[in-house]
Amino acid sequence: MNGPPEPFKIKMIEHVGMPDQIRRSEAIREAGYNTFLLRSEDVYIDLLTDSGTSAMSDYQWSGLLLGDEAYAGARNFYNLEKAIQDVLGYKYIVPTHQGRGAEHLMYSYLVKSGQLVPRNMYFTTSKLHVELPGGKMVDVIIDEAHDPENLHLFKGNIDFKKLQAFIDEYGVEKIAFVNVEMDVNMAGGQPVSMQNLRDLREFCNDYNLKIIYDATRSSENAYFIRERERGYENTPIIDILREMMSYSDGCIYSSKKDCLVNIGGFLATSDKDIFEHCRNMVVVYEGLHTYGGMAGRDMEAVARGLKESTSYEYLKYRINQVRYLGDLLMKAGVPIVKPTGGHGVFINALKFLPHLERKQWPAQTLAAAIYEDSGVRSMERGAVSKGRDKETGENIFPALELVRLTIPRRVYTNTHMEYTAESVIRLYEKRDSIRGLKMVYEPEYLRFFQSRFEVLESSKSYLET
Ligand code: PM9
């Protein structure tokens, strides 16, 4: 068997279409070779993101009917508050419409112009919300994270030498806070170890520095701690989560991932100052502090989903399904980020398409090619996502130029994984025929969402036949 069987059965299905080859070629051209600009109805298997794409349980759906849509003080807010207190252990919460709403409130309060925010690799929206108040995100992840072949089990760990170097060079007052992402997205869904979190707390105590987590995928990180870190083999996931959070001063959280819902976010903290400020500002940007942009029913679904995300059986199934896809690709020699991460399989586009220059956007090209081949939608996670240097305006070309096959939670079967793998392997076998792209439109912020491309050479398709 390819991992444990699903700890659920299917009660409702959604029909999906399969556009033919002619429509797929047309659709990706119309989308400017950007998979974000495809219409969902043109997609067969949607591995664009694990964000907001989960299948909710009957327990969550039934909670929607219990939505209290009062403007103020809905009972679902108190259920959400209690769920976060129970699962994560923080005292105060502020709901937001999704993760970036929480980033906006938290980071605009903590970052002063000219300050640095060291983090274990950047995330797109997080970096932007540090930059908007005049800050700069700097990378302090261990070197192993930048090497797709390296098999380190906790590639999300902070490198204390890098952190110390920033403190020594700029002075501790220049550091706004230390930001730690769980199950680091841009590194391939790679976890942080409990030991690293514990050590970071001690380190930051010496400098009186705050630690804020991006806890978006913390349940999946907790599963890896249980699976890989000595001493946690039999620890309930909820206890691991509470210990992880106890080493921080607060977190932002996009509920659209581990909480198994379609919309929502929050920030949580036990720090009264952070809480009071964010609770005040939420009414300016999101909505009253007892809904923060979410409907009562959505808060109920988050509360229930957060609890469900602590099930060991569920997480074991989830992580193993992702691993199954990774194993299929590795067996065929397709270069991917190793070890396979928590929420998706990340293809190393630099190794897949070595004949393309960085300026020909290999990951963007490969994501478009996969769609055209099979109707599977993936996402670029490389230089287009990274954007330009704020000071010089030049493109930044990160070591990782990846295509993310992101697996929505509880949505697809292993046969869907096999179909996906077959497409990627087919392309790998004819990789030399794949032509690059040129960028023809670029918006100012978060360009990967809306930028447009054209095929570089005059072949009909960039998949030469
Ligand atoms: N992540 C993802 O697909 C959705 C938007 S970017 C394509 O991976 C982290 C670690 C995230 C994240 C979103 C956010 C923002 C914050 N931190 O999308 O605003 O992975 O809910 O969360 C996406 P929201």
Side-chain angles (χ1 to χ4, degrees):
M1 197 163 6
N2 309 309
E6 290 79 357
F8 54 81
K9 56 185 178 177
I10 298 165
K11 190 170 335 207
M12 190 190 285
I13 59 103
E14 177 183 341
H15 291 285
V16 287
M18 164 54 103
D20 62 18
Q21 173 75 59
I22 294 173
R23 176 61 202 146
R24 294 199 300 270
S25 301
E26 212 174 62
I28 194 70
R29 196 179 55 249
E30 285 166 9
Y33 298 91
N34 183 345
T35 52
F36 275 101
L37 302 179
L38 286 167
R39 286 168 182 251
S40 160
E41 65 188 19
D42 283 325
V43 172
Y44 171 47
I45 298 179
D46 204 346
L47 307 186
L48 181 73
T49 177
D50 61 328
S51 181
T53 52
S54 294
M56 293 204 294
S57 65
D58 50 1
Y59 179 60
Q60 287 176 289
W61 276 104
S62 61
L64 295 188
L65 290 175
L66 301 176
D68 171 358
E69 305 307 342
Y71 188 88
R75 67 173 161 260
N76 315 103
F77 167 76
Y78 298 103
N79 293 347
L80 176 61
E81 184 181 56
K82 172 128 189 10
I84 295 168
Q85 286 166 344
D86 289 349
V87 174
L88 304 178
Y90 297 110
K91 208 161 160 191
Y92 309 114
I93 77 140
V94 177
T96 58
H97 75 285
Q98 59 183 80
R100 68 199 75 176
E103 289 175 332
H104 174 210
L105 299 178
M106 179 78 95
Y107 302 165
S108 62
Y109 176 53
L110 293 177
V111 180
K112 308 277 170 286
S113 186
Q115 282 191 313
L116 302 179
V117 175
R119 173 166 165 137
N120 50 349
M121 207 173 267
Y122 83 107
F123 183 70
T124 53
T125 56
S126 325
K127 176 169 167 276
L128 180 62
H129 281 293
V130 163
E131 286 172 359
L132 288 175
K136 186 172 178 188
M137 192 164 263
V138 291
D139 188 14
V140 290
I141 203 164
I142 57 173
D143 285 340
E144 287 85 340
H146 293 282
D147 173 6
E149 298 296 322
N150 195 295
L151 291 172
H152 197 291
L153 293 179
F154 289 102
K155 281 170 120 174
N157 280 355
I158 300 273
D159 181 331
F160 291 98
K161 279 198 222 84
K162 291 185 187 171
L163 182 54
Q164 185 70 57
F166 281 113
I167 294 173
D168 293 345
E169 187 173 348
Y170 295 94
V172 72
E173 63 289 346
K174 273 262 179 187
I175 311 290
F177 61 93
V178 180
N179 199 199
V180 189
E181 184 184 334
M182 302 296 137
D183 224 24
V184 184
N185 194 350
M186 302 302 275
Q190 302 295 328
V192 188
S193 72
M194 190 72 90
Q195 187 62 49
N196 196 253
L197 295 175
R198 202 178 294 127
D199 292 346
L200 182 66
R201 180 75 273 172
E202 262 188 45
F203 181 99
C204 288
N205 282 349
D206 290 345
Y207 289 102
N208 204 16
L209 272 173
K210 285 199 194 317
I211 302 171
I212 302 294
Y213 290 168
D214 182 332
T216 295
R217 294 183 180 84
S218 47
S219 296
E220 291 174 359
N221 197 116
Y223 175 81
F224 281 122
I225 289 178
R226 173 157 159 159
E227 204 184 41
R228 298 178 179 174
E229 199 161 346
R230 198 173 315 138
Y232 291 94
E233 302 81 358
N234 299 311
T235 313
I237 296 292
I238 193 166
D239 293 353
I240 298 178
L241 277 168
R242 288 185 67 122
E243 183 181 344
M244 287 160 70
M245 303 304 147
S246 74
Y247 301 128
S248 74
D249 295 283
C251 76
I252 69 93
Y253 202 123
S254 167
S255 311
K256 298 173 71 175
K257 284 79 168 172
D258 277 5
C259 293
L260 299 153
V261 294
N262 307 121
I263 194 71
F266 59 86
L267 62 87
T269 180
S270 297
D271 181 310
K272 195 119 197 284
D273 289 341
I274 294 177
F275 169 63
E276 296 232 322
H277 175 86
C278 294
R279 185 178 58 167
N280 189 205
M281 291 313 282
V282 77
V283 301
V284 179
Y285 293 108
E286 305 273 326
L288 194 75
H289 58 277
T290 54
Y291 75 86
M294 276 191 279
R297 55 180 173 271
D298 294 328
M299 290 191 282
E300 189 62 36
V302 176
R304 293 177 180 215
L306 179 61
K307 285 188 223 148
E308 283 186 18
S309 82
T310 66
S311 155
Y312 174 68
E313 282 64 38
Y314 152 69
L315 286 167
K316 187 169 177 196
Y317 141 77
R318 153 77 177 155
I319 302 291
N320 275 286
Q321 184 178 49
V322 179
R323 191 172 293 156
Y324 177 53
L325 176 59
D327 287 350
L328 290 175
L329 293 179
M330 276 193 282
K331 261 186 231 142
V334 176
I336 65 167
V337 173
K338 297 168 193 146
T340 303
H343 64 301
V345 175
F346 291 65
I347 305 169
N348 180 357
L350 292 182
K351 230 172 153 188
F352 199 112
L353 299 175
H355 55 287
L356 297 192
E357 291 166 25
R358 295 301 297 260
K359 253 309 218 9
Q360 298 177 350
W361 315 108
Q364 189 77 28
T365 303
L366 183 56
I370 294 169
Y371 169 75
E372 191 166 351
D373 180 71
S374 58
V376 173
R377 170 155 68 173
S378 59
M379 185 199 291
E380 187 269 3
R381 296 276 71 167
V384 181
S385 295
K386 181 86 187 185
R388 292 176 183 274
D389 184 291
K390 223 179 134 229
E391 277 129 41
T392 66
E394 293 297 318
N395 281 303
I396 308 170
F397 294 106
L400 298 179
E401 172 77 9
L402 309 173
V403 172
R404 189 180 72 176
L405 298 160
T406 340
I407 314 302
R409 297 168 182 80
R410 308 191 290 208
V411 172
Y412 290 115
T413 65
N414 280 358
T415 316
H416 290 115
M417 299 300 112
E418 287 156 17
Y419 176 91
T420 302
E422 278 167 21
S423 169
V424 175
I425 293 164
R426 195 162 46 240
L427 285 175
Y428 190 58
E429 281 159 7
K430 55 176 176 180
R431 57 193 178 277
D432 294 346
S433 68
I434 300 177
R435 303 268 169 257
L437 297 171
K438 68 171 179 218
M439 196 187 281
V440 293
Y441 168 72
E442 178 181 356
E444 188 177 351
Y445 298 114
L446 301 173
R447 67 181 182 179
F448 59 96
F449 282 130
Q450 293 157 337
S451 53
R452 298 185 73 85
F453 300 80
E454 280 172 8
V455 179
L456 258 180
E457 289 176 47
S458 61
S459 49
K460 262 203 209 108
S461 158
Y462 52 116
L463 282 180
E464 260 184 7
T465 44

